[in-house]
Amino acid sequence: MQHFGIIGGGFSGIVLAIQLIEQSQQSIEISIFEEKALFCKGIAYTPYSKKHILNVPAAKMSAFPDRPNHYLDWLMEDPEYKTLPKDWVGASFTPRYLYGAYLEHLWESYNVLAETKNIKINTYFELVSKIDYKNNVATIQTEKRNEIKVDQCIIATGNMLPSNPNVADSNILKSPLYFQNPWQENSVKNINQDLPILIIGNGLTMVDTVIGLLENQFENKIYTISPNGFNILPHRHNGMQYTQFIEEYREDMNLKDLVHLFRKHIKQVRSLGVSAEPIIDSFRPHTQKVWQRFSDSEKSFFMRKLRHAWGVARHRIPLHIHDKLQKLQIDLKLKMFSGRISGLSLTHTENAFDVKFYNKKTKKEEQITVGRIINCTGPDSNLDYAAPHFLYDLKTQGVITQDFLKLGIEASPISFETINQTGEMNTNLYVIGSHLKGKLWESTAVNELRTQAKLLAEKLLKN
Ligand SMILES: Cc1cc2nc3c(=O)[nH]c(=O)nc-3n(C[C@H](O)[C@H](O)[C@H](O)COP(=O)(O)OP(=O)(O)OC[C@H]3O[C@@H](n4cnc5c(N)ncnc54)[C@H](O)[C@@H]3O)c2cc1C
């Protein structure tokens, strides 16, 4: 009986297990390793607030690539949604906790199916501390010292914590006023109301954090800082189709030509009062292929010059949340700086941080004093800073490698096999999810992960 070990029981790990259960024609054994609190849901779908919502409309959140309405149909069974028009619910942004409940429900129903197919499921509610990978055999060790030998081992550990800001004295970051993990509720609890708060980062997690702070009755000012200070954009033209861009796009275009083409079409749609949104969305099915074709210098250029602008255009928020942020800015409760932190120190009373930064707008060095700093710069991908972590160990041993931009783990985007330091495929050590960002760029959202899970299950069951 083939034994599959899946490390990480968030969306990728669970949906991979579901695909294995569905596709398997014979008895298999699946072991999944995950903390109890995050099981089935991962960070994304275990929000601390019911007000944290999906950033993708419900109609696009099915766990299955070949059953696009699966989540929507499940939602329509819910008394809260039952009486509403289905296409409206499909276009809406539902709470993330509800999506977590959908995944739990799916998992339960596939456990029943597993029993009827004589598939053995083992869940280990513990973190993996080490993988011993020798001669293509993986032995998984957990923090509670369980040792499980598996035939095929899959890394599905997803989002890592944000990287810490670069400060001269890193001991400062051990202060209880600094929160590296913005997804935990304590980051917005028990706040000193007498001082403003600084959020580092200006993306989707910043938005969730602002919502969390308001829910906890925080009334002082909220500052955010990011290198470009780009304002997060709303889904303004949700579902609007634009085909002209793709009609002109050619597969052999280099980055420079692509940028020109984007500029031309953005100008065109703006003249009609429409934002770049439908253009960006029309390009989504092509981004993985384009990224793979870029040369290293194009990838480096993109990361240096275009990444932030692309991120803002791609990762939008529902209009009503955007309105809320706008209102906070008008009321001067939320202020967004563009610039970089140049100095961080604790005040002599140690109940606040003095933050120095270069303000790109005023072109001056400025200083603010804040009672808390919450790091919302997004998941880090560089394994060099991940220690202690089994991935760091695997990398140090040369079992796995990273791309030159340290965006992810080197692997085949077709077979998902990881690649070792001599460039050989590790035939029984696979990776899916955001660790494939270096290879695919877009490898974070349900849209891509559900396809990866299906394809990997097909591949694993063929072995
Ligand atoms: C706050 C947030 C909101 C998001 N919202 C959306 C959205 O609305 N729509 C969308 O399409 N995408 C969204 N995403 C993208 C999201 O990353 C994916 O949708 C998906 O949840 C990723 O799943 P994953 O399993 O690959 O990673 P994760 O959800 O990060 O799960 C990986 C799991 O691995 C576990 N793990 C890590 N290390 C170990 C170890 N050593 N041992 C055992 N287990 C380990 C972790 O505990 C974690 O639960 C969001 C992401 C975040 C962070």
Side-chain angles (χ1 to χ4, degrees):
M1 183 152 74
Q2 280 237 72
H3 187 181
F4 303 98
I6 303 177
I7 306 172
F11 179 90
S12 298
I14 287 297
V15 175
L16 172 64
I18 284 173
Q19 287 286 352
L20 285 169
I21 296 167
E22 184 163 290
Q23 294 182 34
S24 178
Q25 304 294 333
Q26 56 205 341
S27 299
I28 53 171
E29 182 171 358
I30 304 171
S31 296
I32 307 183
F33 302 81
E34 176 59 272
E35 275 179 74
K36 196 164 191 174
L38 296 178
F39 190 72
C40 275
K41 300 176 282 193
I43 302 166
Y45 310 118
T46 318
Y48 57 76
S49 165
K50 288 196 166 177
K51 290 187 177 163
H52 287 168
I53 55 179
L54 298 175
N55 48 51
V56 176
K60 295 186 181 170
M61 286 294 289
S62 167
F64 302 97
D66 46 3
R67 276 161 275 172
N69 276 342
H70 198 271
Y71 174 55
L72 183 55
D73 289 341
W74 179 84
L75 263 184
M76 293 310 289
E77 302 279 311
D78 188 309
E80 207 178 310
Y81 293 93
K82 220 177 188 143
T83 54
L84 299 170
K86 192 171 177 180
D87 50 346
W88 280 51
V89 177
S92 72
F93 299 88
T94 53
R96 289 216 301 269
Y97 81 88
L98 211 51
Y99 194 75
Y102 163 67
L103 293 175
E104 271 177 336
H105 166 84
L106 260 185
W107 180 240
E108 278 162 26
S109 60
Y110 272 82
N111 267 274
V112 176
L113 178 64
E115 261 187 59
T116 66
K117 292 177 92 172
N118 204 14
I119 292 174
K120 189 170 179 225
I121 311 279
N122 316 308
T123 40
Y124 294 88
F125 292 127
E126 42 189 311
L127 290 181
V128 167
S129 50
K130 193 174 170 204
I131 296 182
D132 190 30
Y133 189 75
K134 279 194 197 96
N135 306 322
N136 289 334
V137 176
T139 306
I140 299 169
Q141 292 178 20
T142 71
E143 54 185 1
K144 291 183 195 157
R145 305 206 174 272
N146 273 311
E147 276 200 13
I148 298 102
K149 199 182 249 185
V150 295
D151 300 307
Q152 323 254 10
C153 179
I154 302 99
I155 299 165
T157 48
N159 299 294
M160 303 203 304
L161 284 182
S163 61
N164 283 323
N166 225 340
V167 288
D169 178 6
S170 58
N171 275 329
I172 287 172
L173 301 176
K174 292 187 182 137
S175 157
L177 305 179
Y178 169 72
F179 292 82
Q180 185 186 7
N181 186 342
W183 301 297
Q184 273 178 356
E185 189 165 22
N186 64 356
S187 67
V188 294
K189 286 265 179 204
N190 307 317
I191 318 161
N192 175 1
Q193 291 279 358
D194 298 334
L195 286 165
I197 276 182
L198 175 65
I199 296 175
I200 311 178
N202 211 11
L204 300 176
T205 305
M206 174 278 287
V207 177
D208 286 342
T209 299
V210 169
I211 291 170
L213 289 169
L214 297 183
E215 246 187 339
N216 281 284
Q217 281 78 44
F218 183 67
E219 291 190 344
N220 210 313
K221 272 194 178 174
I222 302 171
Y223 298 125
T224 74
I225 187 160
S226 66
N228 297 294
F230 290 137
N231 254 326
I232 195 150
L233 297 175
H235 288 279
R236 236 184 258 281
H237 308 288
N238 197 5
M240 201 170 183
Q241 304 285 324
Y242 185 80
T243 54
Q244 284 87 337
F245 177 83
I246 290 303
E247 278 159 22
E248 272 190 58
Y249 157 72
R250 291 188 331 272
E251 285 205 342
D252 60 353
M253 275 179 164
N254 60 26
L255 178 59
K256 202 169 149 213
D257 294 340
L258 254 182
V259 171
H260 279 138
L261 192 65
F262 267 109
R263 289 214 173 110
K264 181 182 134 185
H265 283 270
I266 290 172
K267 200 170 164 200
Q268 196 162 301
V269 296
R270 284 209 177 130
S271 70
L272 300 170
V274 175
S275 73
E277 186 179 334
I279 304 174
I280 303 290
D281 289 353
S282 74
F283 193 58
R284 176 87 183 267
H286 303 268
T287 35
Q288 287 191 346
K289 278 197 190 129
V290 170
W291 181 257
Q292 286 175 73
R293 273 198 302 270
F294 278 165
S295 64
D296 284 357
S297 65
E298 284 175 315
K299 285 180 183 168
S300 299
F301 183 84
F302 177 87
M303 292 303 289
R304 279 198 320 275
K305 303 280 183 193
L306 300 169
R307 172 175 54 131
H308 293 294
W310 178 258
V312 168
R314 255 286 284 117
H315 303 288
R316 302 175 301 257
I317 53 173
L319 199 51
H320 66 285
I321 304 285
H322 188 258
D323 289 347
K324 197 177 260 181
L325 289 193
Q326 295 285 80
K327 169 108 178 46
L328 287 170
Q329 282 176 278
I330 293 165
D331 294 346
L332 304 178
K333 288 197 72 174
L334 175 64
K335 180 141 182 60
M336 296 181 175
F337 294 114
S338 63
R340 278 185 197 280
I341 294 176
S342 51
L344 199 60
S345 54
L346 278 168
T347 56
H348 69 278
T349 48
E350 300 207 341
N351 71 339
F353 286 111
D354 284 328
V355 185
K356 284 190 189 141
F357 65 100
Y358 177 76
N359 188 333
K360 266 191 174 172
K361 208 165 172 191
T362 59
K363 297 193 171 39
K364 280 188 194 142
E365 194 79 29
E366 294 186 18
Q367 181 170 321
I368 48 176
T369 300
V370 295
R372 176 173 296 206
I373 296 179
I374 308 171
N375 188 340
C376 294
T377 52
D380 190 19
S381 58
N382 189 343
L383 296 181
D384 292 345
Y385 304 118
H389 197 291
F390 77 91
L391 289 176
Y392 175 84
D393 294 340
L394 283 177
K395 192 186 161 213
T396 317
Q397 293 157 24
V399 175
I400 58 169
T401 43
Q402 286 207 279
D403 54 286
F404 77 106
L405 292 166
K406 314 262 178 182
L407 291 173
I409 295 173
E410 286 286 56
S412 156
I414 297 160
S415 68
F416 305 100
E417 286 156 300
T418 54
I419 296 172
N420 70 18
Q421 67 180 1
T422 52
E424 290 156 358
M425 300 267 193
N426 293 314
T427 45
N428 294 324
L429 186 61
Y430 302 82
V431 64
I432 53 168
S434 52
H435 291 300
L436 288 175
K437 208 172 165 188
K439 268 278 164 263
L440 300 169
W441 182 249
E442 291 276 8
S443 187
T444 311
V446 160
N447 182 48
E448 298 98 35
L449 305 188
R450 61 188 175 195
T451 305
Q452 290 178 11
K454 184 169 186 281
L455 294 175
L456 178 55
E458 278 166 20
K459 151 89 186 140
L460 291 170
L461 292 168
K462 264 192 215 144
N463 284 355

mmCIF file of all heavy atoms in Angstrom, residues 73 96 139 151 179 192 200 273 316 319 334 337 342 344 351 366 409 416 432 434 448 458:
data_model
loop_
_atom_site.group_PDB
_atom_site.id
_atom_site.type_symbol
_atom_site.label_atom_id
_atom_site.label_comp_id
_atom_site.label_asym_id
_atom_site.label_seq_id
_atom_site.Cartn_x
_atom_site.Cartn_y
_atom_site.Cartn_z
ATOM 1 N N ASP A 73 -22.414 26.502 -4.718
ATOM 2 C CA ASP A 73 -23.537 25.595 -4.438
ATOM 3 C C ASP A 73 -23.619 25.285 -2.940
ATOM 4 O O ASP A 73 -24.693 25.235 -2.360
ATOM 5 C CB ASP A 73 -23.395 24.284 -5.228
ATOM 6 C CG ASP A 73 -23.631 24.500 -6.718
ATOM 7 O OD1 ASP A 73 -24.233 25.540 -7.074
ATOM 8 O OD2 ASP A 73 -23.192 23.656 -7.519
ATOM 9 N N ARG A 96 -14.083 34.873 5.278
ATOM 10 C CA ARG A 96 -13.064 33.820 5.137
ATOM 11 C C ARG A 96 -13.324 32.657 6.087
ATOM 12 O O ARG A 96 -12.997 31.517 5.778
ATOM 13 C CB ARG A 96 -11.671 34.408 5.371
ATOM 14 C CG ARG A 96 -11.226 35.325 4.240
ATOM 15 C CD ARG A 96 -9.726 35.212 3.973
ATOM 16 N NE ARG A 96 -8.927 35.526 5.125
ATOM 17 C CZ ARG A 96 -8.476 36.740 5.417
ATOM 18 N NH1 ARG A 96 -8.738 37.755 4.608
ATOM 19 N NH2 ARG A 96 -7.749 36.947 6.481
ATOM 20 N N THR A 139 11.832 10.165 5.655
ATOM 21 C CA THR A 139 11.326 9.856 6.996
ATOM 22 C C THR A 139 10.986 11.190 7.654
ATOM 23 O O THR A 139 11.843 12.081 7.753
ATOM 24 C CB THR A 139 12.383 9.099 7.828
ATOM 25 O OG1 THR A 139 12.782 7.961 7.082
ATOM 26 C CG2 THR A 139 11.816 8.666 9.176
ATOM 27 N N ASP A 151 6.320 6.718 1.391
ATOM 28 C CA ASP A 151 6.824 6.439 0.035
ATOM 29 C C ASP A 151 6.983 7.737 -0.748
ATOM 30 O O ASP A 151 7.907 7.891 -1.533
ATOM 31 C CB ASP A 151 5.847 5.512 -0.709
ATOM 32 C CG ASP A 151 5.694 4.189 0.015
ATOM 33 O OD1 ASP A 151 6.736 3.566 0.289
ATOM 34 O OD2 ASP A 151 4.557 3.802 0.340
ATOM 35 N N PHE A 179 4.937 43.023 16.390
ATOM 36 C CA PHE A 179 4.213 41.799 16.019
ATOM 37 C C PHE A 179 4.623 41.358 14.620
ATOM 38 O O PHE A 179 4.229 41.960 13.628
ATOM 39 C CB PHE A 179 2.696 42.029 16.099
ATOM 40 C CG PHE A 179 2.236 42.224 17.508
ATOM 41 C CD1 PHE A 179 2.341 43.458 18.119
ATOM 42 C CD2 PHE A 179 1.746 41.154 18.233
ATOM 43 C CE1 PHE A 179 1.959 43.635 19.440
ATOM 44 C CE2 PHE A 179 1.361 41.311 19.557
ATOM 45 C CZ PHE A 179 1.466 42.560 20.159
ATOM 46 N N ASN A 192 -2.409 50.055 23.569
ATOM 47 C CA ASN A 192 -2.303 51.343 24.246
ATOM 48 C C ASN A 192 -2.980 52.400 23.368
ATOM 49 O O ASN A 192 -2.514 52.698 22.273
ATOM 50 C CB ASN A 192 -0.801 51.635 24.444
ATOM 51 C CG ASN A 192 -0.546 53.007 25.026
ATOM 52 O OD1 ASN A 192 -1.500 53.749 25.305
ATOM 53 N ND2 ASN A 192 0.718 53.336 25.207
ATOM 54 N N ILE A 200 3.552 48.057 8.980
ATOM 55 C CA ILE A 200 4.527 48.033 7.875
ATOM 56 C C ILE A 200 3.891 47.214 6.759
ATOM 57 O O ILE A 200 3.500 46.070 6.957
ATOM 58 C CB ILE A 200 5.861 47.395 8.291
ATOM 59 C CG1 ILE A 200 6.369 47.975 9.606
ATOM 60 C CG2 ILE A 200 6.905 47.603 7.202
ATOM 61 C CD1 ILE A 200 7.663 47.328 10.089
ATOM 62 N N GLY A 273 -13.272 55.597 -18.855
ATOM 63 C CA GLY A 273 -13.647 55.666 -17.440
ATOM 64 C C GLY A 273 -13.546 54.325 -16.721
ATOM 65 O O GLY A 273 -14.111 54.130 -15.656
ATOM 66 N N ARG A 316 -6.760 43.150 -5.264
ATOM 67 C CA ARG A 316 -7.698 44.239 -4.948
ATOM 68 C C ARG A 316 -8.647 43.824 -3.830
ATOM 69 O O ARG A 316 -8.744 42.661 -3.476
ATOM 70 C CB ARG A 316 -8.471 44.600 -6.216
ATOM 71 C CG ARG A 316 -7.557 45.025 -7.364
ATOM 72 C CD ARG A 316 -8.341 45.260 -8.615
ATOM 73 N NE ARG A 316 -9.071 44.091 -9.029
ATOM 74 C CZ ARG A 316 -8.705 43.286 -10.027
ATOM 75 N NH1 ARG A 316 -7.596 43.530 -10.689
ATOM 76 N NH2 ARG A 316 -9.434 42.242 -10.359
ATOM 77 N N LEU A 319 -15.190 46.782 -2.930
ATOM 78 C CA LEU A 319 -15.412 48.238 -2.959
ATOM 79 C C LEU A 319 -15.831 48.803 -1.592
ATOM 80 O O LEU A 319 -15.355 49.867 -1.187
ATOM 81 C CB LEU A 319 -16.490 48.540 -4.020
ATOM 82 C CG LEU A 319 -16.578 49.952 -4.553
ATOM 83 C CD1 LEU A 319 -15.239 50.480 -5.023
ATOM 84 C CD2 LEU A 319 -17.588 50.011 -5.703
ATOM 85 N N LEU A 334 -6.272 57.387 9.303
ATOM 86 C CA LEU A 334 -5.336 56.478 8.639
ATOM 87 C C LEU A 334 -4.439 57.311 7.736
ATOM 88 O O LEU A 334 -4.940 58.084 6.907
ATOM 89 C CB LEU A 334 -6.132 55.464 7.800
ATOM 90 C CG LEU A 334 -5.351 54.493 6.921
ATOM 91 C CD1 LEU A 334 -4.486 53.555 7.762
ATOM 92 C CD2 LEU A 334 -6.315 53.644 6.076
ATOM 93 N N PHE A 337 2.205 56.379 4.453
ATOM 94 C CA PHE A 337 3.472 56.973 4.024
ATOM 95 C C PHE A 337 4.115 56.106 2.958
ATOM 96 O O PHE A 337 4.007 54.881 2.998
ATOM 97 C CB PHE A 337 4.455 57.057 5.197
ATOM 98 C CG PHE A 337 4.033 57.997 6.289
ATOM 99 C CD1 PHE A 337 3.705 57.510 7.548
ATOM 100 C CD2 PHE A 337 3.995 59.364 6.064
ATOM 101 C CE1 PHE A 337 3.338 58.366 8.569
ATOM 102 C CE2 PHE A 337 3.633 60.232 7.085
ATOM 103 C CZ PHE A 337 3.296 59.731 8.334
ATOM 104 N N SER A 342 14.315 53.865 8.349
ATOM 105 C CA SER A 342 15.780 53.979 8.396
ATOM 106 C C SER A 342 16.313 53.794 9.811
ATOM 107 O O SER A 342 17.502 53.584 10.009
ATOM 108 C CB SER A 342 16.207 55.332 7.839
ATOM 109 O OG SER A 342 15.483 56.364 8.472
ATOM 110 N N LEU A 344 15.017 52.422 14.002
ATOM 111 C CA LEU A 344 13.960 51.971 14.909
ATOM 112 C C LEU A 344 14.577 51.864 16.291
ATOM 113 O O LEU A 344 15.612 51.225 16.457
ATOM 114 C CB LEU A 344 13.510 50.586 14.422
ATOM 115 C CG LEU A 344 12.182 50.031 14.857
ATOM 116 C CD1 LEU A 344 11.054 50.949 14.419
ATOM 117 C CD2 LEU A 344 11.985 48.653 14.229
ATOM 118 N N ASN A 351 7.837 51.874 26.255
ATOM 119 C CA ASN A 351 6.430 51.608 25.945
ATOM 120 C C ASN A 351 6.062 52.103 24.549
ATOM 121 O O ASN A 351 4.901 52.206 24.199
ATOM 122 C CB ASN A 351 5.504 52.231 26.991
ATOM 123 C CG ASN A 351 5.490 53.751 26.880
ATOM 124 O OD1 ASN A 351 6.429 54.324 26.312
ATOM 125 N ND2 ASN A 351 4.452 54.387 27.376
ATOM 126 N N GLU A 366 11.871 61.736 8.412
ATOM 127 C CA GLU A 366 10.838 62.100 9.404
ATOM 128 C C GLU A 366 10.851 61.097 10.547
ATOM 129 O O GLU A 366 11.452 60.026 10.437
ATOM 130 C CB GLU A 366 9.459 62.126 8.736
ATOM 131 C CG GLU A 366 9.357 63.237 7.690
ATOM 132 C CD GLU A 366 7.949 63.390 7.109
ATOM 133 O OE1 GLU A 366 6.983 62.905 7.716
ATOM 134 O OE2 GLU A 366 7.851 64.008 6.035
ATOM 135 N N ILE A 409 10.959 27.274 -3.822
ATOM 136 C CA ILE A 409 11.798 26.073 -3.867
ATOM 137 C C ILE A 409 11.880 25.623 -5.330
ATOM 138 O O ILE A 409 10.870 25.616 -6.027
ATOM 139 C CB ILE A 409 11.157 24.967 -2.993
ATOM 140 C CG1 ILE A 409 11.150 25.409 -1.519
ATOM 141 C CG2 ILE A 409 11.876 23.635 -3.162
ATOM 142 C CD1 ILE A 409 10.397 24.474 -0.588
ATOM 143 N N PHE A 416 6.143 18.532 -10.167
ATOM 144 C CA PHE A 416 6.215 19.035 -8.791
ATOM 145 C C PHE A 416 7.339 18.398 -7.961
ATOM 146 O O PHE A 416 7.402 18.565 -6.753
ATOM 147 C CB PHE A 416 4.861 18.875 -8.056
ATOM 148 C CG PHE A 416 3.726 19.524 -8.796
ATOM 149 C CD1 PHE A 416 2.864 18.763 -9.567
ATOM 150 C CD2 PHE A 416 3.530 20.885 -8.733
ATOM 151 C CE1 PHE A 416 1.829 19.352 -10.275
ATOM 152 C CE2 PHE A 416 2.499 21.489 -9.432
ATOM 153 C CZ PHE A 416 1.644 20.715 -10.211
ATOM 154 N N ILE A 432 4.095 21.795 -3.445
ATOM 155 C CA ILE A 432 3.052 22.588 -4.125
ATOM 156 C C ILE A 432 2.765 23.855 -3.311
ATOM 157 O O ILE A 432 3.176 23.976 -2.157
ATOM 158 C CB ILE A 432 1.700 21.830 -4.346
ATOM 159 C CG1 ILE A 432 1.165 21.234 -3.047
ATOM 160 C CG2 ILE A 432 1.805 20.814 -5.430
ATOM 161 C CD1 ILE A 432 -0.285 20.751 -3.218
ATOM 162 N N SER A 434 2.602 28.038 -2.484
ATOM 163 C CA SER A 434 3.346 29.284 -2.683
ATOM 164 C C SER A 434 4.859 29.063 -2.796
ATOM 165 O O SER A 434 5.570 29.944 -3.288
ATOM 166 C CB SER A 434 3.024 30.270 -1.567
ATOM 167 O OG SER A 434 3.212 29.642 -0.337
ATOM 168 N N GLU A 448 -4.971 28.753 -8.535
ATOM 169 C CA GLU A 448 -3.833 27.946 -9.013
ATOM 170 C C GLU A 448 -3.662 26.685 -8.177
ATOM 171 O O GLU A 448 -3.339 25.626 -8.708
ATOM 172 C CB GLU A 448 -2.515 28.731 -8.889
ATOM 173 C CG GLU A 448 -2.423 29.993 -9.702
ATOM 174 C CD GLU A 448 -2.738 31.225 -8.888
ATOM 175 O OE1 GLU A 448 -2.388 31.260 -7.691
ATOM 176 O OE2 GLU A 448 -3.351 32.174 -9.423
ATOM 177 N N GLU A 458 -2.774 13.135 -9.574
ATOM 178 C CA GLU A 458 -2.689 12.246 -10.759
ATOM 179 C C GLU A 458 -1.287 11.663 -10.879
ATOM 180 O O GLU A 458 -1.107 10.471 -11.082
ATOM 181 C CB GLU A 458 -2.985 13.057 -12.040
ATOM 182 C CG GLU A 458 -4.466 13.246 -12.313
ATOM 183 C CD GLU A 458 -4.725 14.334 -13.368
ATOM 184 O OE1 GLU A 458 -3.811 14.671 -14.153
ATOM 185 O OE2 GLU A 458 -5.841 14.841 -13.374
#
